[in-house]
Amino acid sequence: MFLKLVLFIIIALNLTDNILGAWLHARAGNQALALQVIYVKYAVVGGVFVAFLFDLVNGFKLRSHEWCGLLYLAAVVVLGVGIIAAHSQYSAASRLYLYMFPVILYYAGVYFGARSAFDTQYLVKAELYSYLGMAALFCVLNVYFGAITIWRDYLDYAGFILDVKGFTDDVVEGLHGNFFFNYKGGQIVRFLGSFGDPLALAYAGMILIVPTYFVFPRQRLLFCGALIVIVAASFTRAVFLFLPIGALIYWLSPRRGFMICLAAAFFGIVAIIFAGDLISGLSDNSSTTAHVLSVNMVLDFINVPTLLGGALASNNMPGFEPGFFNMLFLFGFVPFALFLMFLRGIYANNSLEGSRTAYIAIIMLIAVLTLSIVSSVFFATTSAWFAWFLAGFVSRRSIIVLPDLRTVDENGRGAVPGNGDIER
């Protein structure tokens, strides 16, 4: 019961902490409390991670790729302290926690998977119903009051991200910079749900689509259809590009999918560098142009000192849109390689023949594509926490706990998996 309560606290905070913070800032005039609210979820997840470390010290077994994740985390903590000390004048240094929490969330999921009484279906259902419920609520509010009235006039969300979150470049005319979708001189209001940012809404929904399709086969049309409508209303195009690409790569070659995905990401980067003007012209969208310009800056950072020692060696802070570029040029090649090995292990563990958790493998492929080409959104807790938490959870918990579920051993005999065994 206690772990269920903690789970719902994490879900609730990820869905509502931005609107709670904005309300406290705009309506209650309490900037200090607004700042504290947005960090509560990190404190809760951090507490679960500490509990996991206690289990680890007491003999909890980890796979090799999970040790890579812990080594990466240790390296980032040490290097992060050095970067903050050496580059205190850069706001980017204050956001180094972005690169730590995907791994922390994974091990929080491991702790839940090893100790909770509920199964993966319950976990996915809890996140799914909460996400759909908040989206429905804000759909009604948008229709009744108007999205601009809610986010600009009532919540002053732009003031919140400037004064409390410390963002300096994400506000346009009193609204979040991504509030409108601009195309051929026209503006379309993007659906934000309760997130305050259409990208966070879209990626959180997209991550949910994949496990929902597998875990709820009888209701997949209803649930996935609803999620697709919500994501489409955010006008986040990359989601509808990388989701089918990730699924296609896995379907064509589950065994080699991770390496194929890395190769596809590499060629995507090369294409952007050499054909960026053509891509920007075909899109005719300011967001796409910004992505192209960001990727083209990569050549300025490719040098031996930066690749070996990151920002501490180069004395240059990266500010790319693709998350992998920032990770590589902040911390250097070794932590970056450890993180890739961590992802590769998660993928391999969920892409075995007959795997019933293939959705985790597909999500990892989408994460690689997104972090390589588009943005850092898969590092952000609000938008992508469920991907990492779910990956950790299923590593220690089966997809559905059923007393009469049977597997077949290598000799063809029926076998009942033991408590905590992974059913694939």
Side-chain angles (χ1 to χ4, degrees):
M1 177 60 81
F2 176 73
L3 288 182
K4 283 186 178 181
L5 176 62
V6 175
L7 171 65
F8 279 101
I9 289 174
I10 295 173
I11 291 174
L13 288 171
N14 276 287
L15 286 171
T16 64
D17 62 345
N18 277 321
I19 54 174
L20 288 175
W23 185 88
L24 288 168
H25 173 258
R27 314 310 299 183
N30 195 327
Q31 182 171 332
L33 187 56
L35 180 62
Q36 293 169 22
V37 164
I38 63 176
Y39 286 110
V40 170
K41 64 188 177 189
Y42 298 106
V44 174
V45 173
V48 178
F49 178 69
V50 170
F52 159 79
L53 291 179
F54 276 110
D55 278 359
L56 184 64
V57 171
N58 290 321
F60 191 86
K61 303 298 182 182
L62 293 181
R63 298 176 176 88
S64 58
H65 73 274
E66 293 174 329
W67 284 111
C68 289
L70 286 179
L71 289 173
Y72 161 80
L73 187 61
V76 167
V77 170
V78 172
L79 292 171
V81 171
I83 291 170
I84 291 174
H87 300 285
S88 58
Q89 72 274 26
Y90 291 103
S91 61
S94 66
R95 301 182 193 175
L96 292 176
Y97 65 90
L98 284 175
Y99 305 97
M100 304 173 191
F101 264 85
V103 180
I104 291 175
L105 281 160
Y106 175 88
Y107 293 110
V110 168
Y111 181 83
F112 268 72
R115 287 184 168 265
S116 65
F118 54 84
D119 60 7
T120 309
Q121 188 180 75
Y122 180 90
L123 174 62
V124 175
K125 184 185 295 185
E127 171 71 0
L128 175 65
Y129 286 6
S130 300
Y131 179 91
L132 292 177
M134 291 303 297
L137 173 61
F138 271 81
C139 179
V140 173
L141 292 175
N142 285 356
V143 171
Y144 191 78
F145 294 105
I148 294 176
T149 300
I150 294 171
W151 294 102
R152 185 184 66 189
D153 302 335
Y154 185 77
L155 291 176
D156 184 25
Y157 194 74
F160 169 67
I161 63 176
L162 288 173
D163 300 339
V164 178
K165 286 198 162 186
F167 295 179
T168 59
D169 56 354
D170 287 0
V171 172
V172 178
E173 297 181 358
L175 291 165
H176 193 289
N178 286 326
F179 190 85
F180 292 105
F181 177 71
N182 300 303
Y183 185 73
K184 294 187 180 299
Q187 287 187 325
I188 303 173
V189 175
R190 305 170 76 172
F191 185 53
L192 314 183
S194 60
F195 291 85
D197 181 357
L199 298 183
L201 170 84
Y203 279 92
M206 180 270 292
I207 289 167
L208 258 176
I209 289 173
V210 187
T212 297
Y213 181 87
F214 285 87
V215 176
F216 300 104
R218 294 181 180 178
Q219 298 87 23
R220 64 173 50 147
L221 183 61
L222 173 63
F223 289 150
C224 291
L227 290 170
I228 289 172
V229 169
I230 294 169
V231 172
S234 73
F235 287 90
T236 305
R237 295 156 297 164
V239 167
F240 291 104
L241 174 63
F242 292 134
L243 174 57
I245 290 177
L248 180 62
I249 290 174
Y250 182 83
W251 181 71
L252 290 175
S253 182
R255 186 176 179 182
R256 299 181 178 85
F258 193 81
M259 297 306 298
I260 294 173
C261 187
L262 286 178
F266 174 78
F267 284 112
I269 293 168
V270 171
I272 292 172
I273 292 174
F274 287 98
D277 291 340
L278 175 61
I279 295 171
S280 297
L282 291 174
S283 174
D284 192 23
N285 180 263
S286 58
S287 177
T288 302
T289 301
H291 286 306
V292 170
L293 292 174
S294 178
V295 171
N296 272 277
M297 291 193 303
V298 70
L299 299 178
D300 298 332
F301 283 79
I302 297 180
N303 55 74
V304 174
T306 303
L307 292 176
L308 292 179
L312 286 178
S314 69
N315 201 33
N316 195 4
M317 290 291 292
F320 293 92
E321 293 198 7
F324 274 164
F325 290 173
N326 289 324
M327 176 184 284
L328 175 61
F329 300 134
L330 273 171
F331 308 118
F333 178 76
V334 172
F336 178 67
L338 285 171
F339 188 77
L340 285 183
M341 291 168 67
F342 174 63
L343 294 186
R344 168 69 175 77
I346 296 174
Y347 176 85
N349 195 47
N350 292 279
S351 60
L352 303 172
E353 185 176 355
S355 172
R356 297 183 64 187
T357 54
Y359 50 87
I360 298 296
I362 295 171
I363 290 173
M364 291 300 107
L365 296 182
I366 300 169
V368 168
L369 291 170
T370 303
L371 292 169
S372 299
I373 300 173
V374 178
S375 72
S376 298
V377 71
F378 257 89
F379 288 144
T381 302
T382 300
S383 54
W385 81 275
F386 194 65
W388 306 109
F389 187 90
L390 182 63
F393 186 90
V394 302
S395 72
R396 297 302 187 280
R397 176 65 62 180
S398 62
I399 185 171
I400 301 173
V401 177
L402 293 174
D404 60 341
L405 189 62
R406 297 291 187 273
T407 61
V408 178
D409 64 16
E410 61 184 4
N411 297 316
R413 296 189 299 265
V416 181
N419 186 30
D421 286 350
I422 303 169
E423 297 150 18
R424 302 213 185 278

